[in-house]
mmCIF file of all heavy atoms in Angstrom:
data_model
loop_
_atom_site.group_PDB
_atom_site.id
_atom_site.type_symbol
_atom_site.label_atom_id
_atom_site.label_comp_id
_atom_site.label_asym_id
_atom_site.label_seq_id
_atom_site.Cartn_x
_atom_site.Cartn_y
_atom_site.Cartn_z
ATOM 1 N N MET A 150 -30.921 -81.499 49.562
ATOM 2 C CA MET A 150 -30.080 -80.372 49.251
ATOM 3 C C MET A 150 -28.660 -80.862 48.974
ATOM 4 O O MET A 150 -28.097 -81.622 49.762
ATOM 5 C CB MET A 150 -30.105 -79.388 50.425
ATOM 6 C CG MET A 150 -29.536 -78.059 50.081
ATOM 7 S SD MET A 150 -29.579 -76.960 51.529
ATOM 8 C CE MET A 150 -30.715 -75.780 50.963
ATOM 9 N N ALA A 151 -28.134 -80.483 47.869
ATOM 10 C CA ALA A 151 -26.763 -80.908 47.478
ATOM 11 C C ALA A 151 -25.724 -80.214 48.339
ATOM 12 O O ALA A 151 -25.967 -79.139 48.895
ATOM 13 C CB ALA A 151 -26.522 -80.643 46.002
ATOM 14 N N GLU A 152 -24.521 -80.815 48.398
ATOM 15 C CA GLU A 152 -23.447 -80.248 49.229
ATOM 16 C C GLU A 152 -23.019 -78.873 48.748
ATOM 17 O O GLU A 152 -22.694 -77.994 49.515
ATOM 18 C CB GLU A 152 -22.243 -81.207 49.214
ATOM 19 C CG GLU A 152 -21.073 -80.668 49.962
ATOM 20 C CD GLU A 152 -20.621 -81.587 51.065
ATOM 21 O OE1 GLU A 152 -21.176 -82.691 51.218
ATOM 22 O OE2 GLU A 152 -19.728 -81.207 51.792
ATOM 23 N N ASP A 153 -22.957 -78.661 47.415
ATOM 24 C CA ASP A 153 -22.518 -77.375 46.881
ATOM 25 C C ASP A 153 -23.511 -76.275 47.213
ATOM 26 O O ASP A 153 -23.126 -75.098 47.365
ATOM 27 C CB ASP A 153 -22.356 -77.449 45.343
ATOM 28 C CG ASP A 153 -21.119 -78.253 44.975
ATOM 29 O OD1 ASP A 153 -20.226 -78.367 45.827
ATOM 30 O OD2 ASP A 153 -21.047 -78.724 43.823
ATOM 31 N N GLU A 154 -24.782 -76.588 47.325
ATOM 32 C CA GLU A 154 -25.799 -75.590 47.650
ATOM 33 C C GLU A 154 -25.695 -75.145 49.089
ATOM 34 O O GLU A 154 -26.019 -74.027 49.410
ATOM 35 C CB GLU A 154 -27.194 -76.149 47.370
ATOM 36 C CG GLU A 154 -27.461 -76.374 45.896
ATOM 37 C CD GLU A 154 -28.794 -77.050 45.671
ATOM 38 O OE1 GLU A 154 -29.434 -77.494 46.627
ATOM 39 O OE2 GLU A 154 -29.161 -77.184 44.491
ATOM 40 N N ARG A 155 -25.230 -75.993 49.971
ATOM 41 C CA ARG A 155 -25.113 -75.622 51.381
ATOM 42 C C ARG A 155 -23.888 -74.757 51.626
ATOM 43 O O ARG A 155 -23.744 -74.156 52.663
ATOM 44 C CB ARG A 155 -25.022 -76.896 52.238
ATOM 45 C CG ARG A 155 -26.335 -77.592 52.353
ATOM 46 C CD ARG A 155 -26.257 -78.653 53.409
ATOM 47 N NE ARG A 155 -25.150 -79.566 53.138
ATOM 48 C CZ ARG A 155 -25.216 -80.869 53.130
ATOM 49 N NH1 ARG A 155 -26.367 -81.452 53.384
ATOM 50 N NH2 ARG A 155 -24.190 -81.615 52.874
ATOM 51 N N GLY A 156 -22.935 -74.768 50.669
ATOM 52 C CA GLY A 156 -21.746 -73.976 50.860
ATOM 53 C C GLY A 156 -20.657 -74.673 51.651
ATOM 54 O O GLY A 156 -19.651 -74.049 52.007
ATOM 55 N N GLY A 157 -20.822 -75.928 51.949
ATOM 56 C CA GLY A 157 -19.843 -76.628 52.764
ATOM 57 C C GLY A 157 -18.693 -77.254 51.961
ATOM 58 O O GLY A 157 -17.620 -77.392 52.473
ATOM 59 N N GLY A 158 -18.924 -77.594 50.710
ATOM 60 C CA GLY A 158 -17.889 -78.264 49.945
ATOM 61 C C GLY A 158 -17.497 -77.456 48.729
ATOM 62 O O GLY A 158 -18.076 -77.621 47.657
ATOM 63 N N GLY A 159 -16.528 -76.595 48.862
ATOM 64 C CA GLY A 159 -16.059 -75.791 47.750
ATOM 65 C C GLY A 159 -15.139 -76.593 46.852
ATOM 66 O O GLY A 159 -14.661 -77.652 47.240
ATOM 67 N N SER A 160 -14.930 -76.077 45.665
ATOM 68 C CA SER A 160 -14.047 -76.743 44.739
ATOM 69 C C SER A 160 -12.617 -76.623 45.194
ATOM 70 O O SER A 160 -12.193 -75.545 45.627
ATOM 71 C CB SER A 160 -14.205 -76.077 43.347
ATOM 72 O OG SER A 160 -13.220 -76.536 42.460
ATOM 73 N N PRO A 161 -11.852 -77.691 45.091
ATOM 74 C CA PRO A 161 -10.435 -77.590 45.471
ATOM 75 C C PRO A 161 -9.640 -76.615 44.559
ATOM 76 O O PRO A 161 -8.628 -76.065 44.969
ATOM 77 C CB PRO A 161 -9.904 -79.016 45.362
ATOM 78 C CG PRO A 161 -10.911 -79.770 44.598
ATOM 79 C CD PRO A 161 -12.193 -79.055 44.724
ATOM 80 N N TRP A 162 -10.128 -76.441 43.327
ATOM 81 C CA TRP A 162 -9.435 -75.518 42.437
ATOM 82 C C TRP A 162 -9.545 -74.090 42.904
ATOM 83 O O TRP A 162 -8.626 -73.297 42.742
ATOM 84 C CB TRP A 162 -9.999 -75.653 41.002
ATOM 85 C CG TRP A 162 -9.556 -76.901 40.338
ATOM 86 C CD1 TRP A 162 -10.306 -77.995 40.058
ATOM 87 C CD2 TRP A 162 -8.219 -77.209 39.930
ATOM 88 N NE1 TRP A 162 -9.555 -78.984 39.485
ATOM 89 C CE2 TRP A 162 -8.233 -78.524 39.381
ATOM 90 C CE3 TRP A 162 -7.043 -76.541 39.983
ATOM 91 C CZ2 TRP A 162 -7.110 -79.145 38.898
ATOM 92 C CZ3 TRP A 162 -5.888 -77.153 39.468
ATOM 93 C CH2 TRP A 162 -5.937 -78.409 38.927
ATOM 94 N N ARG A 163 -10.662 -73.743 43.538
ATOM 95 C CA ARG A 163 -10.808 -72.393 44.080
ATOM 96 C C ARG A 163 -9.785 -72.157 45.176
ATOM 97 O O ARG A 163 -9.216 -71.063 45.269
ATOM 98 C CB ARG A 163 -12.219 -72.180 44.615
ATOM 99 C CG ARG A 163 -13.249 -72.119 43.498
ATOM 100 C CD ARG A 163 -14.619 -71.911 44.055
ATOM 101 N NE ARG A 163 -14.725 -70.519 44.515
ATOM 102 C CZ ARG A 163 -15.791 -70.025 45.058
ATOM 103 N NH1 ARG A 163 -16.881 -70.750 45.192
ATOM 104 N NH2 ARG A 163 -15.826 -68.761 45.439
ATOM 105 N N ALA A 164 -9.554 -73.174 45.967
ATOM 106 C CA ALA A 164 -8.564 -73.060 47.058
ATOM 107 C C ALA A 164 -7.149 -72.907 46.465
ATOM 108 O O ALA A 164 -6.337 -72.112 46.944
ATOM 109 C CB ALA A 164 -8.619 -74.273 47.965
ATOM 110 N N VAL A 165 -6.855 -73.664 45.421
ATOM 111 C CA VAL A 165 -5.533 -73.588 44.775
ATOM 112 C C VAL A 165 -5.330 -72.213 44.148
ATOM 113 O O VAL A 165 -4.253 -71.620 44.301
ATOM 114 C CB VAL A 165 -5.351 -74.702 43.748
ATOM 115 C CG1 VAL A 165 -4.106 -74.514 42.917
ATOM 116 C CG2 VAL A 165 -5.334 -76.051 44.440
ATOM 117 N N VAL A 166 -6.328 -71.721 43.485
ATOM 118 C CA VAL A 166 -6.253 -70.405 42.866
ATOM 119 C C VAL A 166 -6.084 -69.314 43.928
ATOM 120 O O VAL A 166 -5.240 -68.415 43.775
ATOM 121 C CB VAL A 166 -7.485 -70.099 41.978
ATOM 122 C CG1 VAL A 166 -7.522 -68.673 41.513
ATOM 123 C CG2 VAL A 166 -7.469 -71.013 40.772
ATOM 124 N N GLY A 167 -6.825 -69.413 44.986
ATOM 125 C CA GLY A 167 -6.681 -68.457 46.086
ATOM 126 C C GLY A 167 -5.312 -68.501 46.709
ATOM 127 O O GLY A 167 -4.709 -67.464 46.987
ATOM 128 N N LEU A 168 -4.790 -69.686 46.905
ATOM 129 C CA LEU A 168 -3.427 -69.823 47.463
ATOM 130 C C LEU A 168 -2.412 -69.256 46.515
ATOM 131 O O LEU A 168 -1.443 -68.594 46.930
ATOM 132 C CB LEU A 168 -3.154 -71.294 47.748
ATOM 133 C CG LEU A 168 -1.865 -71.613 48.481
ATOM 134 C CD1 LEU A 168 -1.864 -70.969 49.862
ATOM 135 C CD2 LEU A 168 -1.681 -73.111 48.634
ATOM 136 N N GLY A 169 -2.569 -69.463 45.226
ATOM 137 C CA GLY A 169 -1.666 -68.900 44.218
ATOM 138 C C GLY A 169 -1.686 -67.382 44.229
ATOM 139 O O GLY A 169 -0.641 -66.733 44.136
ATOM 140 N N LEU A 170 -2.873 -66.789 44.335
ATOM 141 C CA LEU A 170 -3.002 -65.349 44.394
ATOM 142 C C LEU A 170 -2.310 -64.783 45.629
ATOM 143 O O LEU A 170 -1.646 -63.740 45.561
ATOM 144 C CB LEU A 170 -4.476 -64.937 44.359
ATOM 145 C CG LEU A 170 -5.173 -65.126 43.012
ATOM 146 C CD1 LEU A 170 -6.643 -64.800 43.138
ATOM 147 C CD2 LEU A 170 -4.546 -64.254 41.955
ATOM 148 N N ILE A 171 -2.491 -65.452 46.747
ATOM 149 C CA ILE A 171 -1.851 -64.985 47.982
ATOM 150 C C ILE A 171 -0.325 -65.093 47.850
ATOM 151 O O ILE A 171 0.395 -64.170 48.268
ATOM 152 C CB ILE A 171 -2.365 -65.775 49.190
ATOM 153 C CG1 ILE A 171 -3.807 -65.407 49.483
ATOM 154 C CG2 ILE A 171 -1.498 -65.547 50.411
ATOM 155 C CD1 ILE A 171 -4.498 -66.255 50.496
ATOM 156 N N ALA A 172 0.183 -66.141 47.244
ATOM 157 C CA ALA A 172 1.606 -66.319 47.051
ATOM 158 C C ALA A 172 2.167 -65.223 46.137
ATOM 159 O O ALA A 172 3.208 -64.644 46.398
ATOM 160 C CB ALA A 172 1.922 -67.712 46.494
ATOM 161 N N MET A 173 1.439 -64.891 45.044
ATOM 162 C CA MET A 173 1.868 -63.833 44.152
ATOM 163 C C MET A 173 1.875 -62.482 44.838
ATOM 164 O O MET A 173 2.758 -61.672 44.623
ATOM 165 C CB MET A 173 0.961 -63.797 42.909
ATOM 166 C CG MET A 173 1.214 -64.939 41.966
ATOM 167 S SD MET A 173 0.108 -65.048 40.561
ATOM 168 C CE MET A 173 -0.160 -63.394 40.085
ATOM 169 N N LEU A 174 0.891 -62.252 45.706
ATOM 170 C CA LEU A 174 0.853 -61.002 46.454
ATOM 171 C C LEU A 174 2.033 -60.891 47.402
ATOM 172 O O LEU A 174 2.657 -59.828 47.504
ATOM 173 C CB LEU A 174 -0.477 -60.940 47.246
ATOM 174 C CG LEU A 174 -0.714 -59.667 48.039
ATOM 175 C CD1 LEU A 174 -0.813 -58.465 47.125
ATOM 176 C CD2 LEU A 174 -1.974 -59.811 48.855
ATOM 177 N N ILE A 175 2.381 -61.970 48.055
ATOM 178 C CA ILE A 175 3.544 -61.951 48.965
ATOM 179 C C ILE A 175 4.833 -61.687 48.204
ATOM 180 O O ILE A 175 5.650 -60.892 48.620
ATOM 181 C CB ILE A 175 3.614 -63.273 49.746
ATOM 182 C CG1 ILE A 175 2.474 -63.346 50.778
ATOM 183 C CG2 ILE A 175 4.958 -63.420 50.445
ATOM 184 C CD1 ILE A 175 2.323 -64.680 51.444
ATOM 185 N N VAL A 176 4.995 -62.346 47.046
ATOM 186 C CA VAL A 176 6.206 -62.108 46.212
ATOM 187 C C VAL A 176 6.250 -60.668 45.761
ATOM 188 O O VAL A 176 7.308 -60.039 45.776
ATOM 189 C CB VAL A 176 6.238 -63.098 45.040
ATOM 190 C CG1 VAL A 176 7.296 -62.709 44.032
ATOM 191 C CG2 VAL A 176 6.455 -64.508 45.538
ATOM 192 N N GLY A 177 5.121 -60.105 45.371
ATOM 193 C CA GLY A 177 5.062 -58.720 44.922
ATOM 194 C C GLY A 177 5.446 -57.748 46.060
ATOM 195 O O GLY A 177 6.183 -56.811 45.843
ATOM 196 N N VAL A 178 4.937 -58.006 47.228
ATOM 197 C CA VAL A 178 5.283 -57.162 48.395
ATOM 198 C C VAL A 178 6.769 -57.235 48.710
ATOM 199 O O VAL A 178 7.422 -56.233 49.006
ATOM 200 C CB VAL A 178 4.413 -57.529 49.597
ATOM 201 C CG1 VAL A 178 4.920 -56.883 50.874
ATOM 202 C CG2 VAL A 178 2.948 -57.121 49.354
ATOM 203 N N LEU A 179 7.336 -58.419 48.665
ATOM 204 C CA LEU A 179 8.766 -58.588 48.946
ATOM 205 C C LEU A 179 9.610 -57.852 47.882
ATOM 206 O O LEU A 179 10.608 -57.244 48.220
ATOM 207 C CB LEU A 179 9.131 -60.074 48.967
ATOM 208 C CG LEU A 179 8.589 -60.840 50.174
ATOM 209 C CD1 LEU A 179 8.923 -62.322 50.033
ATOM 210 C CD2 LEU A 179 9.152 -60.276 51.483
ATOM 211 N N PHE A 180 9.196 -57.888 46.611
ATOM 212 C CA PHE A 180 9.908 -57.170 45.572
ATOM 213 C C PHE A 180 9.855 -55.677 45.812
ATOM 214 O O PHE A 180 10.876 -54.996 45.711
ATOM 215 C CB PHE A 180 9.303 -57.525 44.206
ATOM 216 C CG PHE A 180 9.929 -56.753 43.094
ATOM 217 C CD1 PHE A 180 11.175 -57.094 42.589
ATOM 218 C CD2 PHE A 180 9.253 -55.703 42.503
ATOM 219 C CE1 PHE A 180 11.747 -56.389 41.556
ATOM 220 C CE2 PHE A 180 9.815 -54.992 41.473
ATOM 221 C CZ PHE A 180 11.075 -55.342 40.979
ATOM 222 N N VAL A 181 8.685 -55.162 46.124
ATOM 223 C CA VAL A 181 8.573 -53.703 46.396
ATOM 224 C C VAL A 181 9.407 -53.302 47.613
ATOM 225 O O VAL A 181 10.071 -52.280 47.589
ATOM 226 C CB VAL A 181 7.077 -53.326 46.567
ATOM 227 C CG1 VAL A 181 6.959 -51.902 47.092
ATOM 228 C CG2 VAL A 181 6.339 -53.481 45.243
ATOM 229 N N MET A 182 9.404 -54.137 48.637
ATOM 230 C CA MET A 182 10.233 -53.819 49.824
ATOM 231 C C MET A 182 11.705 -53.779 49.475
ATOM 232 O O MET A 182 12.425 -52.919 49.980
ATOM 233 C CB MET A 182 9.931 -54.853 50.917
ATOM 234 C CG MET A 182 8.605 -54.665 51.590
ATOM 235 S SD MET A 182 8.223 -55.948 52.829
ATOM 236 C CE MET A 182 9.648 -55.874 53.863
ATOM 237 N N GLN A 183 12.168 -54.690 48.633
ATOM 238 C CA GLN A 183 13.578 -54.707 48.228
ATOM 239 C C GLN A 183 13.893 -53.434 47.452
ATOM 240 O O GLN A 183 14.974 -52.829 47.667
ATOM 241 C CB GLN A 183 13.849 -55.938 47.367
ATOM 242 C CG GLN A 183 15.260 -55.994 46.827
ATOM 243 C CD GLN A 183 15.488 -57.155 45.902
ATOM 244 O OE1 GLN A 183 14.553 -57.865 45.554
ATOM 245 N NE2 GLN A 183 16.689 -57.312 45.435
ATOM 246 N N GLN A 184 13.020 -53.024 46.553
ATOM 247 C CA GLN A 184 13.272 -51.822 45.791
ATOM 248 C C GLN A 184 13.310 -50.583 46.669
ATOM 249 O O GLN A 184 14.138 -49.687 46.507
ATOM 250 C CB GLN A 184 12.217 -51.657 44.697
ATOM 251 C CG GLN A 184 12.208 -52.766 43.657
ATOM 252 C CD GLN A 184 13.529 -52.843 42.925
ATOM 253 O OE1 GLN A 184 14.097 -51.864 42.521
ATOM 254 N NE2 GLN A 184 14.018 -54.072 42.764
ATOM 255 N N LEU A 185 12.419 -50.522 47.629
ATOM 256 C CA LEU A 185 12.395 -49.384 48.564
ATOM 257 C C LEU A 185 13.632 -49.355 49.445
ATOM 258 O O LEU A 185 14.169 -48.305 49.744
ATOM 259 C CB LEU A 185 11.122 -49.429 49.430
ATOM 260 C CG LEU A 185 9.831 -49.134 48.704
ATOM 261 C CD1 LEU A 185 8.639 -49.361 49.611
ATOM 262 C CD2 LEU A 185 9.830 -47.678 48.186
ATOM 263 N N ARG A 186 14.075 -50.542 49.864
ATOM 264 C CA ARG A 186 15.306 -50.616 50.686
ATOM 265 C C ARG A 186 16.501 -50.137 49.878
ATOM 266 O O ARG A 186 17.353 -49.389 50.395
ATOM 267 C CB ARG A 186 15.513 -52.049 51.153
ATOM 268 C CG ARG A 186 16.621 -52.176 52.176
ATOM 269 C CD ARG A 186 16.768 -53.626 52.683
ATOM 270 N NE ARG A 186 15.484 -54.201 53.112
ATOM 271 C CZ ARG A 186 14.965 -55.312 52.601
ATOM 272 N NH1 ARG A 186 15.611 -55.989 51.701
ATOM 273 N NH2 ARG A 186 13.818 -55.779 53.031
ATOM 274 N N HIS A 187 16.598 -50.501 48.616
ATOM 275 C CA HIS A 187 17.687 -50.058 47.764
ATOM 276 C C HIS A 187 17.633 -48.544 47.554
ATOM 277 O O HIS A 187 18.667 -47.862 47.628
ATOM 278 C CB HIS A 187 17.613 -50.769 46.399
ATOM 279 C CG HIS A 187 18.666 -50.359 45.436
ATOM 280 N ND1 HIS A 187 19.986 -50.647 45.624
ATOM 281 C CD2 HIS A 187 18.595 -49.620 44.291
ATOM 282 C CE1 HIS A 187 20.680 -50.140 44.617
ATOM 283 N NE2 HIS A 187 19.850 -49.516 43.806
ATOM 284 N N ALA A 188 16.455 -47.998 47.300
ATOM 285 C CA ALA A 188 16.322 -46.551 47.102
ATOM 286 C C ALA A 188 16.677 -45.812 48.382
ATOM 287 O O ALA A 188 17.307 -44.739 48.319
ATOM 288 C CB ALA A 188 14.872 -46.216 46.681
ATOM 289 N N ALA A 189 16.310 -46.340 49.534
ATOM 290 C CA ALA A 189 16.646 -45.685 50.808
ATOM 291 C C ALA A 189 18.167 -45.683 51.053
ATOM 292 O O ALA A 189 18.724 -44.713 51.544
ATOM 293 C CB ALA A 189 15.946 -46.378 51.975
ATOM 294 N N ALA A 190 18.824 -46.783 50.662
ATOM 295 C CA ALA A 190 20.286 -46.848 50.823
ATOM 296 C C ALA A 190 20.970 -45.810 49.923
ATOM 297 O O ALA A 190 21.929 -45.171 50.372
ATOM 298 C CB ALA A 190 20.774 -48.252 50.485
ATOM 299 N N ILE A 191 20.484 -45.627 48.710
ATOM 300 C CA ILE A 191 21.037 -44.636 47.806
ATOM 301 C C ILE A 191 20.792 -43.215 48.382
ATOM 302 O O ILE A 191 21.673 -42.369 48.377
ATOM 303 C CB ILE A 191 20.495 -44.773 46.389
ATOM 304 C CG1 ILE A 191 21.031 -46.070 45.779
ATOM 305 C CG2 ILE A 191 20.865 -43.565 45.527
ATOM 306 C CD1 ILE A 191 20.440 -46.387 44.419
ATOM 307 N N GLN A 192 19.588 -42.977 48.894
ATOM 308 C CA GLN A 192 19.284 -41.665 49.483
ATOM 309 C C GLN A 192 20.174 -41.389 50.684
ATOM 310 O O GLN A 192 20.672 -40.245 50.857
ATOM 311 C CB GLN A 192 17.821 -41.590 49.886
ATOM 312 C CG GLN A 192 16.907 -41.461 48.713
ATOM 313 C CD GLN A 192 15.440 -41.428 49.130
ATOM 314 O OE1 GLN A 192 15.096 -41.691 50.284
ATOM 315 N NE2 GLN A 192 14.568 -41.123 48.189
ATOM 316 N N ASP A 193 20.412 -42.370 51.504
ATOM 317 C CA ASP A 193 21.294 -42.191 52.647
ATOM 318 C C ASP A 193 22.721 -41.887 52.223
ATOM 319 O O ASP A 193 23.387 -41.032 52.790
ATOM 320 C CB ASP A 193 21.305 -43.439 53.523
ATOM 321 C CG ASP A 193 20.016 -43.646 54.271
ATOM 322 O OD1 ASP A 193 19.210 -42.689 54.385
ATOM 323 O OD2 ASP A 193 19.778 -44.781 54.774
ATOM 324 N N CYS A 194 23.183 -42.540 51.148
ATOM 325 C CA CYS A 194 24.510 -42.305 50.621
ATOM 326 C C CYS A 194 24.621 -40.870 50.079
ATOM 327 O O CYS A 194 25.582 -40.156 50.391
ATOM 328 C CB CYS A 194 24.818 -43.314 49.540
ATOM 329 S SG CYS A 194 26.431 -43.119 48.748
ATOM 330 N N VAL A 195 23.655 -40.433 49.327
ATOM 331 C CA VAL A 195 23.686 -39.085 48.747
ATOM 332 C C VAL A 195 23.584 -38.065 49.869
ATOM 333 O O VAL A 195 24.284 -37.031 49.848
ATOM 334 C CB VAL A 195 22.550 -38.916 47.733
ATOM 335 C CG1 VAL A 195 22.401 -37.465 47.303
ATOM 336 C CG2 VAL A 195 22.784 -39.810 46.521
ATOM 337 N N ALA A 196 22.760 -38.310 50.877
ATOM 338 C CA ALA A 196 22.597 -37.364 51.975
ATOM 339 C C ALA A 196 23.888 -37.216 52.789
ATOM 340 O O ALA A 196 24.113 -36.152 53.401
ATOM 341 C CB ALA A 196 21.455 -37.828 52.889
ATOM 342 N N SER A 197 24.716 -38.243 52.768
ATOM 343 C CA SER A 197 25.980 -38.146 53.514
ATOM 344 C C SER A 197 27.054 -37.402 52.721
ATOM 345 O O SER A 197 28.168 -37.216 53.213
ATOM 346 C CB SER A 197 26.474 -39.546 53.909
ATOM 347 O OG SER A 197 26.865 -40.250 52.773
ATOM 348 N N GLY A 198 26.750 -36.999 51.477
ATOM 349 C CA GLY A 198 27.656 -36.189 50.712
ATOM 350 C C GLY A 198 28.535 -36.959 49.740
ATOM 351 O O GLY A 198 29.364 -36.367 49.073
ATOM 352 N N ARG A 199 28.359 -38.256 49.607
ATOM 353 C CA ARG A 199 29.192 -39.039 48.693
ATOM 354 C C ARG A 199 28.621 -38.920 47.282
ATOM 355 O O ARG A 199 27.427 -38.649 47.062
ATOM 356 C CB ARG A 199 29.211 -40.490 49.136
ATOM 357 C CG ARG A 199 30.047 -40.656 50.388
ATOM 358 C CD ARG A 199 30.127 -42.092 50.758
ATOM 359 N NE ARG A 199 28.985 -42.419 51.589
ATOM 360 C CZ ARG A 199 28.613 -43.610 51.998
ATOM 361 N NH1 ARG A 199 29.317 -44.645 51.585
ATOM 362 N NH2 ARG A 199 27.584 -43.810 52.731
ATOM 363 N N ARG A 200 29.484 -39.129 46.271
ATOM 364 C CA ARG A 200 29.066 -39.025 44.892
ATOM 365 C C ARG A 200 29.030 -40.360 44.182
ATOM 366 O O ARG A 200 28.420 -40.491 43.124
ATOM 367 C CB ARG A 200 30.039 -38.091 44.132
ATOM 368 C CG ARG A 200 29.935 -36.708 44.625
ATOM 369 C CD ARG A 200 30.875 -35.840 43.837
ATOM 370 N NE ARG A 200 30.823 -34.474 44.350
ATOM 371 C CZ ARG A 200 30.912 -33.425 43.618
ATOM 372 N NH1 ARG A 200 31.146 -33.530 42.322
ATOM 373 N NH2 ARG A 200 30.849 -32.252 44.176
ATOM 374 N N ASP A 201 29.668 -41.374 44.687
ATOM 375 C CA ASP A 201 29.735 -42.677 44.038
ATOM 376 C C ASP A 201 28.772 -43.675 44.697
ATOM 377 O O ASP A 201 29.158 -44.748 45.113
ATOM 378 C CB ASP A 201 31.158 -43.213 44.052
ATOM 379 C CG ASP A 201 31.709 -43.302 45.500
ATOM 380 O OD1 ASP A 201 31.124 -42.679 46.402
ATOM 381 O OD2 ASP A 201 32.712 -44.035 45.675
ATOM 382 N N CYS A 202 27.526 -43.282 44.793
ATOM 383 C CA CYS A 202 26.544 -44.082 45.532
ATOM 384 C C CYS A 202 25.976 -45.261 44.789
ATOM 385 O O CYS A 202 25.612 -46.279 45.387
ATOM 386 C CB CYS A 202 25.418 -43.151 46.012
ATOM 387 S SG CYS A 202 25.966 -41.900 47.144
ATOM 388 N N VAL A 203 25.883 -45.153 43.471
ATOM 389 C CA VAL A 203 25.314 -46.235 42.672
ATOM 390 C C VAL A 203 26.451 -47.061 42.087
ATOM 391 O O VAL A 203 27.252 -46.542 41.360
ATOM 392 C CB VAL A 203 24.422 -45.689 41.557
ATOM 393 C CG1 VAL A 203 23.823 -46.830 40.732
ATOM 394 C CG2 VAL A 203 23.310 -44.827 42.103
ATOM 395 N N PRO A 204 26.548 -48.344 42.424
ATOM 396 C CA PRO A 204 27.623 -49.192 41.871
ATOM 397 C C PRO A 204 27.549 -49.245 40.356
ATOM 398 O O PRO A 204 26.454 -49.168 39.756
ATOM 399 C CB PRO A 204 27.375 -50.547 42.488
ATOM 400 C CG PRO A 204 26.452 -50.323 43.626
ATOM 401 C CD PRO A 204 25.683 -49.077 43.345
ATOM 402 N N ILE A 205 28.682 -49.453 39.710
ATOM 403 C CA ILE A 205 28.721 -49.585 38.246
ATOM 404 C C ILE A 205 27.909 -50.791 37.837
ATOM 405 O O ILE A 205 28.002 -51.864 38.425
ATOM 406 C CB ILE A 205 30.186 -49.729 37.780
ATOM 407 C CG1 ILE A 205 30.938 -48.452 38.112
ATOM 408 C CG2 ILE A 205 30.252 -50.014 36.291
ATOM 409 C CD1 ILE A 205 32.425 -48.563 37.828
ATOM 410 N N GLY A 206 27.075 -50.605 36.826
ATOM 411 C CA GLY A 206 26.222 -51.702 36.331
ATOM 412 C C GLY A 206 24.887 -51.752 37.021
ATOM 413 O O GLY A 206 24.022 -52.463 36.642
ATOM 414 N N ARG A 207 24.692 -50.969 38.022
ATOM 415 C CA ARG A 207 23.440 -50.980 38.782
ATOM 416 C C ARG A 207 22.667 -49.688 38.541
ATOM 417 O O ARG A 207 21.591 -49.516 39.064
ATOM 418 C CB ARG A 207 23.752 -51.152 40.269
ATOM 419 C CG ARG A 207 22.590 -51.223 41.188
ATOM 420 C CD ARG A 207 22.099 -52.609 41.323
ATOM 421 N NE ARG A 207 20.834 -52.588 42.015
ATOM 422 C CZ ARG A 207 20.472 -53.427 42.948
ATOM 423 N NH1 ARG A 207 21.253 -54.388 43.293
ATOM 424 N NH2 ARG A 207 19.297 -53.353 43.496
ATOM 425 N N GLY A 208 23.243 -48.776 37.763
ATOM 426 C CA GLY A 208 22.607 -47.465 37.551
ATOM 427 C C GLY A 208 21.268 -47.615 36.848
ATOM 428 O O GLY A 208 21.068 -48.470 35.998
ATOM 429 N N ARG A 209 20.360 -46.713 37.160
ATOM 430 C CA ARG A 209 19.017 -46.744 36.549
ATOM 431 C C ARG A 209 18.705 -45.449 35.932
ATOM 432 O O ARG A 209 18.909 -44.411 36.311
ATOM 433 C CB ARG A 209 17.978 -47.054 37.620
ATOM 434 C CG ARG A 209 18.154 -48.433 38.149
ATOM 435 C CD ARG A 209 17.142 -48.726 39.181
ATOM 436 N NE ARG A 209 17.525 -49.984 39.805
ATOM 437 C CZ ARG A 209 16.747 -50.716 40.490
ATOM 438 N NH1 ARG A 209 15.534 -50.359 40.686
ATOM 439 N NH2 ARG A 209 17.142 -51.822 41.004
#
């Protein structure tokens, strides 16, 4: 029985691809968290009654 048939020796490329996917997922989650944090800061500013909550050049 060959090593690949037993499931013990996977391809190193599969491990690299899996690691890359996990890294991309982590970067994506960090990006979404940053956007949510920014939106929450703007909501807090507006809720406190201020009108100049979005800095110039950062408006969306």
Side-chain angles (χ1 to χ4, degrees):
M150 193 181 246
E152 177 123 4
D153 287 339
E154 292 175 353
R155 287 191 304 229
S160 170
W162 286 109
R163 291 181 72 180
V165 170
V166 169
L168 188 61
L170 288 174
I171 290 172
M173 287 175 38
L174 182 63
I175 289 171
V176 168
V178 167
L179 290 174
F180 176 76
V181 169
M182 286 176 54
Q183 177 185 4
Q184 297 300 316
L185 289 173
R186 190 177 310 123
H187 178 70
I191 291 175
Q192 287 179 349
D193 289 344
C194 179
V195 171
S197 68
R199 290 183 272 171
R200 294 180 182 215
D201 57 343
C202 296
V203 180
I205 296 173
R207 181 88 191 221
R209 294 179 189 199

